[in-house]
Amino acid sequence: MTIRYVESSKLPTPWGIFSMHGFEDTGADKEHVVLTMGDVSSGDPVLARIHSECLTGDALFSLRCDCGAQLQAAMHRISIEGRGVIFYLRQEGRGIGLLNKIKAYHLQDKGADTVEANEQLGFGADMRDYSILRPMLEHLHIKALKLMTNNPRKVTALQELGIEVVERLPHQTGRNPHNAKYLETKKGKLGHWLDHPEEDG
């Protein structure tokens, strides 16, 4: 695995101006982006979101998942704090890729849940690799995070990389009738920390 820093630029958004840092994964031939706001290298824990690419949710406004809503909520939360980081990782469909994700969606249309669909295609329930974060964190001089996530696997992965997670912040948003089963599968089969719908907010 070779992650190479390429360049940084400003990124104006509805939530303020972020700095956008480009990284190239030469081994996997993928490009990743990190968004920062404020001074993240001061040594103090940084408000953070690890977000896996979701073209359907992030850009096409799909209601089958909560990804787009989670990304926007993270950008909003960081803008309020004035300091934070979002790791935007090119690991579409929990790591199976966009076209396989469409195949998985087809199986879900026929009744499979997200885990069953991935497994029917010959993949694991979650194929994402968070070890690629290490060189990005090192480049940004980040050693401790306040992590916005409902996924215990992300917390464990960071701790195994030697990154201190000083706080885990619930990040629930975007529940709707189209993704209710998806969210329950996340909770029941993948162990995500999700409250009941009436407590969601």
Side-chain angles (χ1 to χ4, degrees), residues 1-4 6 23-32 91 129 132 136:
M1 178 187 70
T2 304
I3 305 292
R4 184 177 70 90
V6 178
F23 292 85
E24 181 183 13
D25 182 345
T26 55
D29 194 26
K30 289 187 177 181
E31 299 162 338
H32 306 282
Q91 302 195 113
D129 175 15
I132 60 176
M136 300 178 196

Side-chain angles (χ1 to χ4, degrees), residues 1 3 50 87 89 91 128-138 142-145 147 153-165:
M1 178 187 70
I3 305 292
I50 299 169
F87 299 90
L89 307 181
Q91 302 195 113
R128 289 174 289 184
D129 175 15
Y130 297 113
S131 65
I132 60 176
L133 289 167
R134 185 195 294 276
M136 300 178 196
L137 288 157
E138 289 175 350
I142 295 173
K143 293 181 172 60
L145 300 175
L147 190 64
R153 189 165 172 262
K154 289 181 181 178
V155 175
T156 301
L158 285 167
Q159 291 170 339
E160 289 175 349
L161 290 173
I163 303 300
E164 184 183 4
V165 180

Side-chain angles (χ1 to χ4, degrees), residues 9 11 17-21 34-40 46 78 82-87 140 142:
S9 69
L11 182 72
I17 298 176
F18 287 80
S19 293
M20 179 170 60
H21 313 273
V34 181
L35 303 182
T36 62
M37 181 177 283
D39 180 8
V40 297
V46 181
I78 287 170
R83 178 174 177 267
V85 59
I86 296 174
F87 299 90
L140 296 166
I142 295 173

Side-chain angles (χ1 to χ4, degrees), residues 49-72 87-95 97-98 101-102 105 128 154 179 182 186:
R49 169 77 184 159
I50 299 169
H51 190 88
S52 297
E53 177 185 39
C54 177
L55 176 72
T56 48
D58 298 341
L60 301 179
F61 316 109
S62 170
L63 297 177
R64 295 184 76 131
C65 62
D66 55 346
C67 303
Q70 285 188 321
L71 177 60
Q72 293 183 39
F87 299 90
Y88 194 88
L89 307 181
R90 306 295 296 278
Q91 302 195 113
E92 182 81 46
R94 297 198 189 121
L98 178 60
K101 178 180 175 179
I102 295 172
Y105 274 180
R128 289 174 289 184
K154 289 181 181 178
N179 67 21
Y182 162 87
K186 272 188 173 184

Side-chain angles (χ1 to χ4, degrees), residues 49 66 70 147-155 168-173 183 186-187 190-195 200:
R49 169 77 184 159
D66 55 346
Q70 285 188 321
L147 190 64
M148 295 178 276
T149 188
N150 308 315
N151 186 350
R153 189 165 172 262
K154 289 181 181 178
V155 175
R168 197 281 299 183
L169 302 169
H171 198 59
Q172 296 185 70
T173 184
L183 292 173
K186 272 188 173 184
K187 180 178 180 179
L190 299 175
H192 286 213
W193 295 300
L194 293 169
D195 297 327
D200 192 13

